[in-house]
């Protein structure tokens, strides 16, 4: 068993495994100075600053925010070798997507809030191997969007690449079946196509059930709890001489700016019969106004399990790149006109 500091890699790697465009920014902003982590008073002042920044971000966020970013990885795979040398494998390669998510007007109540989410340029290649047979599924340049306005959900799945992928997905699923019927495959494609287009769904009761009153700011008691939690988590890392060096706390001394950066790499961590190795860097940044302005997350992980050699399984994630920048304000989310959207037929609900 490796030393306990390296065990931090296991939850980090699992986080990677649960989780295109420009590379995620994991740097600490220019002008931010690392604090002296050995100074208890400096640490506490930093924890307090981050707690206040979270409160400031909440107050602006309920008015409106927009996150714009990208998510990509080179390979996410799982391979299992059985005692008879049969190899089963699953791999997603060259995954990439740009995304944006926004919410405005929550301070006026959930019934008046507006939300949107967009996925653009999504692409990947899926490869599946079982019993000596190989199956593939490709996606490229997929765009899709969904909006919530006046208790109505609008979605746009009209992109031709969405339809192409839907058809390919039906073919992929059919190829995995032992028996195939051409008529059933054709019918499945027709059923899926009914949902592809620009549609809206009115009167969403589940949303109406949400409490309509959203506080515009956090109370003093809530701020105190946040500062306590932030301090407890960071102190747990800083308090161990073997883990304190993986964490950097930095601030702009003349403003509310703060940044937290975590950099981790390790020799294999052995947990029972599983070995985990990899590297990861993550950074959270609050700008000089005290608003959460960006996050960046990059890493690699390998998970190897040896049960009864030569039977083993290997999981791999390479070149994960995940990040976003944030904007705030009542007008940061732009909605389309919706004039060309049709109501989704009742029989499809």
């Amino acid at each position: 068993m490796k030393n306990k500091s390296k065990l931090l890699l296991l939850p980090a790697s699992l986080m990677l495994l649960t989780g295109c465009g420009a590379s995620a920014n994991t740097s600490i902003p220019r002008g931010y100075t690392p604090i002296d982590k050995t100074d208890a008073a400096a640490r506490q002042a930093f924890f307090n600053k981050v707690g206040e920044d979270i409160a400031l971000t909440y107050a602006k966020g309920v008015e409106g925010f927009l996150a714009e970013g990208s998510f990509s990885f080179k390979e996410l795979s799982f391979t299992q070798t059985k005692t008879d040398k049969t190899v089963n494998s699953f791999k997603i390669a060259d995954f990439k997507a740009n995304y944006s998510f926004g919410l405005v007007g929550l301070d006026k109540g959930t019934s008046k809030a507006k939300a949107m989410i967009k996925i653009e340029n999504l692409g990947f290649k899926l490869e599946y191997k079982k019993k000596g047979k190989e199956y593939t599924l490709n996606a490229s340049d997929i765009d899709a969007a969904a909006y919530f306005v006046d208790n109505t959900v609008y979605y746009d799945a009209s992109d031709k690449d969405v339809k192409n992928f839907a058809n390919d997905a039906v073919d992929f699923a059919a190829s995995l079946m032992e028996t195939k019927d051409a008529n059933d495959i054709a019918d499945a494609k027709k059923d899926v196509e009914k949902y592809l287009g620009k549609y809206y769904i009115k009167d969403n009761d589940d949303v109406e059930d949400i409490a309509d009153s959203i506080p515009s700011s956090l109370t003093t008691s809530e701020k105190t709890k946040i500062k306590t939690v932030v301090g407890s988590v960071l102190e747990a890392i800083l308090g161990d001489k073997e883990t304190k060096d993986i964490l950097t706390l930095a601030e702009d001394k003349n403003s509310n700016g703060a940044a937290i950066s975590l950099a981790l790499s390790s020799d294999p961590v052995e947990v029972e019969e599983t070995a985990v190795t990899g590297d990861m860097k993550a950074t959270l940044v609050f700008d000089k106004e005290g608003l959460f302005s960006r996050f960046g997350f990059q890493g690699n992980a390998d998970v190897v399990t040896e049960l009864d050699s030569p039977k083993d399984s290997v999981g791999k994630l390479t070149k994960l790149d995940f990040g976003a920048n944030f904007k705030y304000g009542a007008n940061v989310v732009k909605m389309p006109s919706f004039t060309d959207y049709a109501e989704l037929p009742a029989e499809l609900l």
Side-chain angles (χ1 to χ4, degrees):
M1 179 70 70
K2 303 297 180 182
N3 65 52
K4 62 181 178 179
S5 70
K6 293 176 180 177
L7 285 176
L8 284 173
L9 182 60
L10 180 58
S13 298
L14 293 177
M15 182 166 58
L16 287 173
L17 293 172
T18 58
C20 174
S23 177
N25 188 349
T26 58
S27 66
I28 292 176
R30 184 177 300 176
Y32 283 48
T33 304
I35 71 164
D36 181 358
K37 294 182 293 188
T38 66
D39 186 332
R43 293 199 307 271
Q44 188 58 54
F46 182 85
F47 303 155
N48 290 340
K49 174 178 281 192
V50 172
E52 289 293 338
D53 287 353
I54 292 173
L56 288 168
T57 300
Y58 173 87
K60 291 294 292 185
V62 295
E63 178 185 359
F65 73 88
L66 175 66
E68 298 176 301
S70 60
F71 178 56
S72 68
F73 55 80
K74 182 64 178 177
E75 177 184 331
L76 174 62
S77 62
F78 179 80
T79 303
Q80 184 179 55
T81 304
K82 297 185 177 180
T83 53
D84 61 359
K85 304 298 185 181
T86 300
V87 177
N88 294 335
S89 65
F90 174 88
K91 181 171 77 172
I92 299 176
D94 299 322
F95 184 97
K96 59 180 181 179
N98 296 323
Y99 69 90
S100 56
F101 171 75
L103 177 64
V104 296
L106 201 57
D107 56 334
K108 298 184 175 69
T110 54
S111 63
K112 297 179 176 62
K114 299 179 181 180
M116 60 78 69
I117 182 169
K118 287 184 180 180
I119 304 294
E120 297 178 299
N121 303 317
L122 185 151
F124 62 85
K125 181 178 182 180
L126 187 155
E127 300 175 350
Y128 179 56
K129 181 185 292 185
K130 183 177 182 181
K131 297 180 179 179
K133 294 184 178 180
E134 296 185 10
Y135 309 88
T136 62
L137 175 64
N138 292 288
S140 61
D141 298 324
I142 291 176
D143 297 336
Y147 309 89
F148 176 78
V149 182
D150 296 330
N151 205 33
T152 300
V153 173
Y154 298 83
Y155 76 87
D156 181 358
S158 62
D159 179 29
K160 64 179 179 60
D161 294 307
V162 173
K163 181 178 179 180
N164 292 338
F165 175 73
N167 287 333
D168 290 344
V170 171
D171 288 333
F172 176 80
S175 70
L176 301 177
M177 300 178 183
E178 293 184 3
T179 59
K180 309 175 184 64
D181 185 289
N183 291 328
D184 289 342
I185 295 173
D187 289 342
K189 290 181 178 180
K190 290 179 182 178
D191 288 339
V192 172
E193 187 173 359
K194 293 176 183 177
Y195 293 90
L196 304 183
K198 293 184 176 182
Y199 291 105
Y200 64 84
I201 305 169
K202 299 179 65 175
D203 303 325
N204 294 274
D205 295 334
D206 291 341
V207 177
E208 287 185 328
D209 290 340
I210 299 174
D212 198 49
S213 178
I214 304 296
S216 59
S217 62
L218 299 179
T219 65
T220 300
S221 175
E222 289 168 334
K223 291 180 184 179
T224 300
K225 289 179 181 178
I226 290 173
K227 294 173 185 178
T228 300
V229 171
V230 170
S232 297
V233 172
L234 297 180
E235 282 284 15
I237 300 174
L238 294 171
D240 190 320
K241 64 180 181 180
E242 295 175 338
T243 63
K244 61 183 178 64
D245 291 337
I246 70 175
L247 192 66
T248 300
L249 309 178
E251 65 176 350
D252 181 271
K253 296 183 181 297
N254 300 315
S255 73
N256 290 320
I260 301 172
S261 185
L262 179 70
L264 178 64
S265 62
S266 176
D267 295 330
V269 177
E270 297 173 8
V271 181
E272 295 182 347
E273 294 177 314
T274 299
V276 182
T277 187
D279 60 87
M280 180 264 287
K281 185 171 184 180
T283 301
L284 308 177
V285 175
F286 295 88
D287 65 19
K288 294 184 179 183
E289 299 299 319
L291 301 178
F292 181 47
S293 60
R294 64 171 165 90
F295 74 87
F297 190 64
Q298 297 174 325
N300 303 274
D302 288 281
V303 182
V304 179
T305 301
E306 296 182 1
L307 300 174
D308 298 309
S309 184
K311 180 180 179 181
D312 59 30
S313 59
V314 179
K316 180 187 292 288
L317 176 63
T318 60
K319 296 185 179 180
L320 174 69
D321 191 290
F322 181 35
N325 295 311
F326 289 76
K327 300 176 183 177
Y328 298 89
N331 300 308
V332 292
V333 175
K334 306 301 181 184
M335 297 288 180
S337 65
F338 302 121
T339 56
D340 55 345
Y341 284 65
E343 185 169 8
L344 187 68
E347 61 269 20
L348 297 182
L349 293 174

